[in-house]
Amino acid sequence: MQLASLVRNETGVDDAPTVVLLHGVFGRARNLGILQRALSPYFKTVAFDLRCHGDSPHAPISYPEMAKDVLESMDALGIKDAYIVGHSMGGKTAMATVLTAPERFKKLLVADIAPDVMIHGQHDLAQQLYHTPLPALSSHAEIRKFLHDLTEDPSVGELIAQHITPGNPAQWNIGVTDIVASFPVIQSWPEDVFKGKTWDGPALFIRGGDSPYIKPQHHDVIRSYFPEADIKTIPNTGHWVHVEDPTNFNAMMLEFLRG
């Protein structure tokens, strides 16, 4: 499957090294603009809409299939090798992609997720969104208010709002049916597919200090696949670590990718 993408190259060099960026569940490529801007002086960047998100096709979700999507989309853009950065579901997709085609990647950066089962509430949100009929919503302001009242979390409301088109009734423009049906897969990790596989390249895992997604017991799991992994923490941040503290996250990212 070829994914929709946002390509940015402000280096002035046609063959500048490429960084592939992958968003989390309910995100899309344009949410990663803050990372693209930080990287743009040094790298060509390609942010993909993963399947069922943004402008990409809809299909059942699995990490091996999403890894194939990324590789096929890199091929379509003529990208032979790259650095790869992913957050949450995008982080698991990045790990799966590197393990599938290790020769094509120089460095791996994963934001706040481990190659393990991760269950922390987003399944409940997905079910709530799926089973709540969308009313008539005539503007993006009405969409944001509807989601704020539904989720009681402005940041989540802003994230989800981008996937609803105003109308009577409003319409989802995201593959919400496939996402909800695939949520157990999104929260899991295909150990049977990647058992015994490792990638010995440079890897950095950045966790939010207040996030439950990477705990000390996950460190050995991470290094069972990525033996050279370094695991760092940004204090006073949650799961959206790159959004909550972009200054520290971007500094770590640039030091790692450029080092």
Side-chain angles (χ1 to χ4, degrees):
M1 176 187 297
Q2 188 168 340
L3 303 173
S5 62
L6 292 177
V7 179
R8 185 168 182 162
N9 185 5
E10 297 171 4
T11 65
V13 180
D14 291 339
D15 61 348
T18 299
V19 179
V20 169
L21 299 165
L22 306 177
H23 63 79
V25 67
F26 295 127
R28 63 186 306 169
R30 70 186 185 198
N31 296 148
L32 300 174
I34 191 169
L35 302 186
Q36 287 191 292
R37 288 190 293 274
L39 292 163
S40 62
Y42 316 103
F43 300 95
K44 175 182 176 181
T45 58
V46 180
F48 287 121
D49 286 334
L50 295 174
R51 60 170 57 192
C52 296
H53 293 76
D55 295 322
S56 288
H58 300 174
I61 290 172
S62 79
Y63 290 112
E65 288 301 314
M66 288 197 290
K68 292 178 185 177
D69 294 346
V70 172
L71 293 168
E72 289 176 11
S73 301
M74 288 173 60
D75 289 342
L77 293 173
I79 301 169
K80 294 180 180 179
D81 54 51
Y83 303 84
I84 189 166
V85 177
H87 170 249
S88 195
M89 179 185 72
K92 284 187 173 180
T93 303
M95 289 185 269
T97 307
V98 167
L99 292 170
T100 301
E103 73 285 353
R104 298 191 64 175
F105 295 94
K106 300 175 181 179
K107 294 184 179 182
L108 164 71
L109 191 156
V110 174
D112 207 59
I113 205 72
D116 204 351
V117 177
M118 299 275 155
I119 301 175
H120 292 290
Q122 291 195 37
H123 178 266
D124 294 339
L125 171 63
Q127 291 288 338
Q128 182 184 23
L129 292 169
Y130 182 65
H131 292 292
T132 302
L134 293 177
L137 299 167
S138 61
S139 68
H140 291 290
E142 287 188 7
I143 290 171
R144 288 193 294 271
K145 183 180 185 307
F146 167 76
L147 291 168
H148 179 271
D149 294 343
L150 187 67
T151 66
E152 298 182 349
D153 186 332
S155 62
V156 173
E158 288 290 337
L159 182 70
I160 304 299
Q162 64 189 326
H163 299 301
I164 298 176
T165 301
N168 186 13
Q171 300 289 327
W172 288 104
N173 55 43
I174 189 174
V176 67
T177 299
D178 283 318
I179 292 171
V180 171
S182 301
F183 231 87
V185 174
I186 294 171
Q187 293 179 318
S188 66
W189 171 253
E191 183 180 0
D192 56 330
V193 176
F194 296 116
K195 186 176 181 179
K197 292 189 176 183
T198 60
W199 187 70
D200 296 328
L204 174 62
F205 286 68
I206 301 177
R207 63 176 296 273
D210 299 332
S211 172
Y213 281 79
I214 297 181
K215 295 181 178 179
Q217 61 264 33
H218 295 126
H219 291 198
D220 287 344
V221 177
I222 289 170
R223 292 190 175 112
S224 70
Y225 292 102
F226 308 101
E228 300 301 316
D230 190 11
I231 301 167
K232 294 185 177 182
T233 299
I234 297 181
N236 304 314
T237 57
H239 184 51
W240 282 274
V241 56
H242 60 301
V243 175
E244 295 175 40
D245 191 345
T247 300
N248 279 322
F249 185 91
N250 289 345
M252 287 184 180
M253 175 178 66
L254 288 170
E255 180 182 16
F256 172 66
L257 294 180
R258 297 187 69 206

